[in-house]
Amino acid sequence: MKLDSKIPEGPLAEKWARHKFGLKLVNPANKRKYDIIIVGTGLAGASAAASLAELGYNVKAFTFHDSPRRAHSIAAQGGINAAKNYQNDGDSVFRLFYDTIKGGDYRAREGNVYRLAEVSVNIIDQCVAQGVPFAREYGGLLANRSFGGAQVSRTFYARGQTGQQLLLGAYHALSRQVTTGKVKLITRTEMLDLVVVDGKARGIITRNLITGKIESHSAHAVLLCTGGYGNVFYLSTNAMNSNATAAWRAHKKGAFFSNPCYTQIHPTCIPVKGDYQSKLTLMSESLRNDGRVWVPKTKEDAELIRQGKKKANDIAEEDRDYFLERRYPSFGNLVPRDVASRNAKYVCDEGRGVAPTGLAVYLDFADAIKRDGRKTIEAKYGNLFEMYEKIVDDNPYETPMMIYPAVHYTMGGLWVDYNLMTSVPGLYALGEANFSDHGANRLGASALMQGLADGYFVIPYTVGDYLATIGPADKIPVDHPAFREAEQRIQEMNNRLLSIKGTKTVDEFHKQLGHIMWDYCGMSRNAEGLKKAKTMIQELRKEFWSNVRVMGDAEEMNQSLEHAGRVADFIELGELMVDDALHREESCGGHFREEYQTEEGEALRNDADFTYVAAWEYQGENKPEILNKEILEFENVKLTQRSYK
């Protein structure tokens, strides 16, 4: 199938303006005749719901939380990028565009990325107007700091709570529309299926997480703002409830899934402590502004540290290897996340890791405290240091933090065109749920930027173009057979899960899947391991459907049943991730195939054969998916070997 990305013609800097002028409009009196469903109320969902309701549309917003304020966007710590150039350090819209394209290892669309950089400046203005308490510098302007993959300071922040503060701003805007009645907020409700009639998205099937009731909801358009799929790895920085069910069920109804193997490993997370853990804790990338990453130069010193016979401060300066500064003198500790993560893995694989497990490196603030003083560091990172101390029981002002890479973000997601519409007309995907802006690796502080760009400044224009085309009469009632059939399928699936009554818990299956994914499709992959993983996942899937034990009943609060449905989807998605990683015979960004690397151990792309978006098309249960390719064209940047040296 030929994929039409709908990228506008014309100069890069004029594409979005020209496109907006060419979009069809819905007049204000007609907007109130259209119903829009939004699934997810994080930054993308809350901003989209508030913006569309403000325009006059009738919005139903769904969240499986008890409040939008609990959406996982609150967990983002370090900041949000924008090309304001307040620092006068050479930033611009084009430089943000270039850094994002380069950071994604030249596997993203130029048009989408430039639009993201262009509207970034508006996002900051909107959030300030909403009262988001960004940090300020001595002159009263908003402060900025650096993040990985950039040599300028363009990251706006509110200490280590930026995501939470931005979500509060969007939540206030959403709450205003809930009060006016333009948004109907439906909490503790999970989307379990997409209803497609005559090739168009017509609504969703949900389950009330309190009562277990299966319900149908109809609309003219459906927006999925449901985040990423990092929890396929079991251990990740995502909240435990974060899942891929809404996007995966939409995929099975015709929405193409793009680049699923592109997963981001975040370099600064608290290391795994033991088998009892169910998630990992992120330490903001902003810490790499002042923290220096190092390990001992010798295996002997590292072994003594692991045995508890030496401490970090016992290692003399000349016996420390500041390996990021050594290998990448231009960027130092601020190399992109994929580069920092792989290098941490390399030194630990050499036997120089410093935790009892051997899987950790140091992030040391001693030089920054000596240079700027403890109060300055407290002002920048105080809450992050407090969080670290509470979890690890170690004071990072006095001894270096221990960090190690962990699964964090997913660059893959539902395929969308320039309008954020999936391959199913009327179905849109925003924020991390889509694949569109980050290529093979996301730069730090760009997730919040994309979520708010999509919700505040893109979808309000583009959804109107579709609605104007179909007209307000083109809505299917919930008593249509397609809704009844979808409800029945969900009930049958729930009953099937409850009737198996096997011997293994859902959590055991999830953890087993996570080990397979991390070992064979994690920080590095190879053909042999991926083929082995595919077989293991297929065997795990068979065992799941014959031996899982799900307690309780369908028509009641049942978290075991919720989890079972999500893990069933993760198992299927995990197999597609392996297929995608296996077919892409190159290394790029977060996808590192060991067979394809430079002599210095860097990712080696194959631009001749793989400069495309892989968009997978579902063919039915236990059938191979069809690979569709959207060729990426680069007119404004030159494809070069990425270098941060």
Side-chain angles (χ1 to χ4, degrees), residues 136-212:
R136 294 180 181 268
E137 46 87 53
Y138 76 100
L141 290 176
L142 302 183
N144 291 113
R145 56 190 178 199
S146 297
F147 258 61
Q151 290 181 305
V152 297
S153 295
R154 64 163 67 103
T155 304
F156 296 78
Y157 63 97
R159 295 187 78 191
Q161 306 170 344
T162 313
Q164 179 175 340
Q165 297 303 327
L166 290 171
L167 185 61
L168 286 173
Y171 172 69
H172 291 159
L174 172 61
S175 297
R176 178 173 178 269
Q177 297 304 324
V178 172
T179 302
T180 66
K182 294 303 292 181
V183 173
K184 182 178 181 182
L185 180 62
I186 302 171
T187 61
R188 301 306 300 270
T189 301
E190 182 171 26
M191 171 184 161
L192 294 181
D193 206 358
L194 176 74
V195 178
V196 178
V197 180
D198 298 330
K200 299 176 185 175
R202 304 292 192 167
I204 62 173
I205 308 298
T206 63
R207 180 175 183 269
N208 185 306
L209 299 182
I210 303 297
T211 66

Side-chain angles (χ1 to χ4, degrees), residues 323-336:
F323 55 91
L324 292 179
E325 298 172 32
R326 170 173 56 81
R327 293 199 64 183
Y328 308 98
S330 292
F331 282 73
N333 295 298
L334 287 173
V335 292

Side-chain angles (χ1 to χ4, degrees), residues 173-422:
L174 172 61
S175 297
R176 178 173 178 269
Q177 297 304 324
V178 172
T179 302
T180 66
K182 294 303 292 181
V183 173
K184 182 178 181 182
L185 180 62
I186 302 171
T187 61
R188 301 306 300 270
T189 301
E190 182 171 26
M191 171 184 161
L192 294 181
D193 206 358
L194 176 74
V195 178
V196 178
V197 180
D198 298 330
K200 299 176 185 175
R202 304 292 192 167
I204 62 173
I205 308 298
T206 63
R207 180 175 183 269
N208 185 306
L209 299 182
I210 303 297
T211 66
K213 185 178 180 181
I214 305 298
E215 296 177 309
S216 292
H217 302 271
S218 173
H220 293 90
V222 176
L223 278 56
L224 299 185
C225 310
T226 50
Y229 48 91
N231 273 352
V232 70
F233 291 88
Y234 186 72
L235 282 181
S236 81
T237 66
N238 291 267
M240 289 178 64
N241 275 342
S242 297
N243 64 85
T245 286
W248 188 250
R249 304 282 172 91
H251 172 57
K252 295 172 81 168
K253 285 300 184 69
F256 293 176
F257 210 106
S258 285
N259 301 337
C261 77
Y262 289 166
T263 54
Q264 182 184 81
I265 313 296
H266 197 293
T268 54
C269 301
I270 296 178
V272 176
K273 187 74 173 178
D275 290 338
Y276 57 84
Q277 282 184 258
S278 56
K279 77 175 299 293
L280 296 172
T281 302
L282 171 72
M283 298 305 297
S284 170
E285 182 176 318
S286 63
L287 294 169
R288 289 197 279 146
N289 272 291
D290 290 297
R292 300 180 70 192
V293 180
W294 65 275
V295 290
K297 287 183 177 178
T298 66
K299 294 180 183 179
E300 290 75 18
D301 276 343
E303 179 62 30
L304 290 172
I305 290 173
R306 291 195 291 270
Q307 293 174 359
K309 296 178 180 178
K310 273 191 175 184
K311 297 185 181 300
N313 292 335
D314 295 331
I315 307 300
E317 184 70 18
E318 62 269 19
D319 295 326
R320 301 179 178 190
D321 179 13
Y322 295 92
F323 55 91
L324 292 179
E325 298 172 32
R326 170 173 56 81
R327 293 199 64 183
Y328 308 98
S330 292
F331 282 73
N333 295 298
L334 287 173
V335 292
R337 291 173 173 180
D338 61 321
V339 177
S341 295
R342 276 197 298 276
N343 278 273
K345 180 181 185 299
Y346 291 156
V347 296
C348 289
D349 288 348
E350 292 170 357
R352 296 192 286 147
V354 294
T357 60
L359 300 177
V361 299
Y362 286 128
L363 183 63
D364 195 338
F365 291 86
D367 287 352
I369 292 171
K370 183 178 180 181
R371 179 185 67 241
D372 299 328
R374 176 166 170 163
K375 287 187 176 180
T376 299
I377 300 303
E378 283 179 349
K380 288 182 178 180
Y381 314 114
N383 61 310
L384 296 171
F385 278 41
E386 290 167 12
M387 181 175 72
Y388 180 89
E389 186 169 7
K390 285 181 180 178
I391 294 171
V392 180
D393 193 26
D394 200 7
N395 185 345
Y397 292 105
E398 297 174 359
T399 59
M401 289 184 180
M402 285 197 295
I403 58 168
Y404 194 70
V407 173
H408 177 54
Y409 187 90
T410 52
M411 285 71 67
L414 294 179
W415 181 90
V416 293
D417 62 18
Y418 193 68
N419 293 329
L420 305 183
M421 188 187 287
T422 69

Side-chain angles (χ1 to χ4, degrees), residues 497-505 546-551:
L497 286 167
L498 290 164
S499 67
I500 296 171
K501 300 190 183 304
T503 61
K504 287 176 65 173
T505 66
S546 63
N547 195 34
V548 71
R549 185 167 186 84
V550 182
M551 307 296 290

Side-chain angles (χ1 to χ4, degrees), residues 499-519:
S499 67
I500 296 171
K501 300 190 183 304
T503 61
K504 287 176 65 173
T505 66
V506 178
D507 216 47
E508 286 179 277
F509 281 102
H510 193 180
K511 188 178 291 188
Q512 195 173 339
L513 174 67
H515 281 304
I516 296 170
M517 297 302 297
W518 179 252
D519 290 344

